Amino acid sequence: MRTAIITGAAGGIGAATASDLARWGWRVFGFDLRAGESNLVSSDLAGFGGSIEPIRVDVTDRAAVEAAVAAVLAATGGTLDAVVANAGVRVAGAFEETPFAEVRRLFEVNLGGVMHVTRAALPALRATEGSRVVVVSSVGGLSALPGLAAYCGSKWAVEGWAESLAHELQPLGVGVALVEPASVRTGLWDLGTVHGDPDGPYASLVDAVEAGDDRAWARALDPASVSATMVAVVEGRRGLRHPVGLTARARLVARGLVPAGLQRRVIGRLTRQPPPSASPRNPEGVVMVTGCSSGFGLGVTVELARRGHRVAATMRDLARRGSLDAALSEAGVADRVEILQMDVTDRVSIAEAFARADRWVQLAGDVGRIVGLVNNAGVASVGPFEELPPAEVGRVIETNLLGTLAVTHAALPRMRPHGGRIVFISSSSGLGGLPTWSAYAASKWGVEGFAESLAFEVGPHGIDVALVEPGVFPTGIWRDDSWHGDPDGPYATLIEAMADADRKAVETAGDPAVVARTVAACLSGSRPVIRHPVGRGAWLRWAARGVVPFGVQRRIVARLLA
């Protein structure tokens, strides 16, 4: 009998899929905090040969997930044919007015839960011929949606992670697939309110999201219709992406063909969002830059100061400020830069840095206000997902993704009254997943989805959003200790090939100063477009995104690594 683990199995898509697989003769283990609440009883499966066995588990608790998977494998003799990562939550409304604890919980469930169950199951999946990892994404993982910035960020992160994982697992005989439904009639809609003050600055956004939810619910899919696709994919339907519903299919097609700016205008009009206002050009004030001790952050700080900006350069460890001090002194612009301590993974540290910035306004008026933010702080940890230490995955997500969201959350109330610009330094890894880069790709895809969605919310307040997507450049992020993996394990050949490819890429990389100039142009020039690929590799990935089928991309990557 074939066996499957399904998370979020007590209701909605998870319950429908569990029922249908059991009727096809599968032995299904349903992971859910509400295990046992399903209306399905064993008599419903009489004559089908399958079964559903509920297991109470919180997918955000890695130890609990590992114990639950171990119990399943003990019951099945160590075999497992499929993992269906379906558990999810939704947070909607104005990002600025959403409690950050809810944003964090969203990512712990929608991204962390997927990673935990997949990691625990991978050894058994590799040992079972024809096994599958099926991840339930969303239409929000295919395009930006207003009022769903954090939610879209979580689903884009899952998409990037799954792309990278598919590269890694295909040679080992494990398939990876994404199912991307449009709106579905599930309890997901009942788990949270639309955040935002109905009489506050985002009142029109809140009204539009609530009205849009009503319209979406009226035409939402039944979970059973999504389950039909789920069963087909679990049973072996080929392909990485499987949109369900007309809206999802349309957005998948538009993803690579329609420019992000045009998509934003069309979606904004369809969802009745207020039109954006132009951000001020070269206003008096301060630009805050994160991660300035080295790399892009250091270069951006110097370039902005050269162009006449006042800069608040932040870094986690002020003991590492020497390189920045030297560069500022050499350029003769040290008097235009204030260096602050800020750890983007620490909410208290963020609050203290912004409190200091608030005092500048009290002392200097408009000259001290924050008019720009460059989210640059980032780390890398590379290796096959199964062999990447969980602590390293957490460090990447906390710094690159949640840290970016936390700093933006703190900056928005300070920028909204007068407008400004926010630049997110993403990566070419945010345009396409690669093997061994799953955690990093997840973090950068998440930033991309968040930034595109945030643009809907802040545009009417005169805040423009831009993404700068560098290819490979020689910065401090490329360190030998960032690589992980067993040289004698199942991924040994892949590790060696990717490490060699990465070394060659760094050796032929361009000057990171071009990235600094691109960021400065986004803050200084005319109103920026949302996407700015930098470097030949980034432009190639941008051109291939959504146009070249993933199967073709995977074969090209495999050939280059051979």
Side-chain angles (χ1 to χ4, degrees):
M1 180 184 293
R2 292 174 296 176
T3 58
I5 291 173
I6 299 179
T7 65
I13 296 172
T17 303
S19 299
D20 286 347
L21 283 177
R23 291 189 174 101
W24 278 90
W26 285 67
R27 185 181 184 184
V28 178
F29 296 87
F31 287 12
D32 203 293
L33 276 173
R34 301 173 296 143
E37 293 185 14
S38 173
N39 293 324
L40 189 73
V41 296
S42 57
S43 60
D44 294 329
L45 301 174
F48 290 98
S51 64
I52 300 175
E53 301 173 38
I55 298 177
R56 181 178 174 81
V57 62
D58 180 354
V59 296
T60 69
D61 184 337
R62 181 166 57 87
V65 170
E66 290 173 351
V69 171
V72 168
L73 297 179
T76 65
T79 62
L80 185 63
D81 294 277
V83 164
V84 179
N86 164 73
V89 295
R90 178 178 182 263
V91 172
F95 175 73
E96 180 188 330
E97 297 180 343
T98 300
F100 201 77
E102 292 203 25
V103 173
R104 176 174 288 279
R105 172 68 178 174
L106 173 81
F107 280 90
E108 288 174 348
V109 176
N110 294 5
L111 179 59
V114 173
M115 289 180 166
H116 294 335
V117 71
T118 303
R119 178 192 295 278
L122 272 176
L125 291 169
R126 285 192 291 102
T128 306
E129 184 178 356
S131 59
R132 306 277 283 175
V133 176
V134 180
V135 181
V136 179
S137 178
S138 161
V139 66
L142 295 171
S143 69
L145 296 172
L148 291 166
Y151 179 77
C152 287
S154 73
K155 291 302 184 180
W156 282 50
V158 164
E159 297 254 340
W161 173 81
E163 268 203 16
S164 294
L165 194 69
H167 282 290
E168 296 178 11
L169 295 184
Q170 193 277 336
L172 302 178
V174 181
V176 177
L178 287 154
V179 176
E180 299 144 328
S183 300
V184 184
R185 288 178 177 265
T186 71
L188 193 70
W189 299 72
D190 303 324
L191 294 178
T193 58
V194 176
H195 292 281
D197 182 353
D199 300 315
Y202 294 98
S204 57
L205 171 76
V206 173
D207 290 343
V209 171
E210 290 176 339
D213 280 356
D214 290 341
R215 293 193 299 272
W217 180 262
R219 60 174 185 271
L221 301 169
D222 185 88
S225 63
V226 182
S227 175
T229 299
M230 297 287 294
V231 171
V233 173
V234 171
E235 291 272 1
R237 179 189 288 179
R238 301 180 67 179
L240 176 67
R241 288 188 166 84
H242 303 270
V244 183
L246 179 61
T247 303
R249 291 194 295 272
R251 296 199 182 196
L252 177 61
V253 171
R255 181 170 170 265
L257 299 177
V258 181
L262 179 56
Q263 288 190 49
R264 176 182 167 190
R265 288 193 290 273
V266 171
I267 293 172
R269 184 166 298 178
L270 290 174
T271 56
R272 303 170 190 177
Q273 300 297 315
S277 301
S279 59
R281 183 172 180 175
N282 297 318
E284 282 283 359
V286 177
V287 177
M288 179 175 282
V289 185
T290 67
C292 296
S293 62
S294 64
F296 294 142
L298 188 155
V300 167
T301 298
V302 175
E303 182 66 24
L304 288 173
R306 279 179 177 154
R307 297 190 182 204
H309 291 278
R310 295 177 181 85
V311 183
T314 74
M315 61 186 69
R316 181 177 57 84
D317 184 2
L318 290 180
R320 299 181 58 199
R321 63 180 288 172
S323 297
L324 177 58
D325 284 331
L328 293 171
S329 178
E330 182 181 351
V333 292
D335 60 324
R336 304 196 66 83
V337 178
E338 182 79 13
I339 300 177
L340 305 178
Q341 191 279 332
M342 183 168 73
D343 181 351
V344 300
T345 68
D346 183 345
R347 295 296 305 283
V348 173
S349 177
I350 294 170
E352 289 175 349
F354 276 97
R356 185 168 177 180
D358 291 340
R359 290 195 289 272
W360 298 339
V361 178
Q362 296 169 6
L363 293 171
D366 288 353
V367 174
R369 65 187 183 177
I370 295 176
V371 295
L373 173 64
V374 179
N375 282 299
N376 164 73
V379 296
S381 198
V382 186
F385 177 72
E386 185 180 347
E387 297 177 352
L388 201 57
E392 285 296 300
V393 175
R395 185 173 71 96
V396 171
I397 300 301
E398 284 286 341
T399 304
N400 300 4
L401 181 50
L402 290 175
T404 292
L405 269 62
V407 173
T408 305
H409 196 264
L412 282 175
R414 294 166 169 90
M415 295 179 64
R416 176 177 34 78
H418 50 263
R421 298 183 183 183
I422 302 176
V423 179
F424 297 86
I425 298 187
S426 178
S427 165
S428 59
S429 292
L431 300 170
L434 285 176
T436 72
W437 285 82
S438 58
Y440 189 77
S443 71
K444 293 304 184 181
W445 279 61
V447 166
E448 298 250 336
F450 167 75
E452 280 203 24
S453 300
L454 184 70
F456 286 107
E457 301 183 21
V458 299
H461 299 283
I463 300 176
D464 276 318
V465 172
L467 284 156
V468 175
E469 301 151 325
V472 178
F473 289 90
T475 67
I477 204 169
W478 297 86
R479 303 192 319 268
D480 290 339
D481 62 357
S482 65
W483 264 96
H484 300 270
D486 183 356
D488 300 316
Y491 302 94
T493 302
L494 174 65
I495 291 170
E496 183 179 357
M498 278 302 296
D500 184 57
D502 286 348
R503 280 192 295 269
K504 290 178 180 177
V506 173
E507 289 169 0
T508 59
D511 184 354
V514 68
V515 177
R517 291 194 292 270
T518 302
V519 172
C522 290
L523 291 163
S524 305
S526 58
R527 193 173 184 184
V529 297
I530 195 162
R531 290 186 179 276
H532 302 262
V534 185
R536 180 173 177 270
W539 277 104
L540 287 173
R541 287 209 210 174
W542 177 82
R545 178 180 179 268
V547 177
V548 180
F550 176 76
V552 174
Q553 294 186 44
R554 183 181 54 74
R555 287 191 289 273
I556 291 172
V557 170
R559 184 171 298 178
L560 291 173
L561 296 177

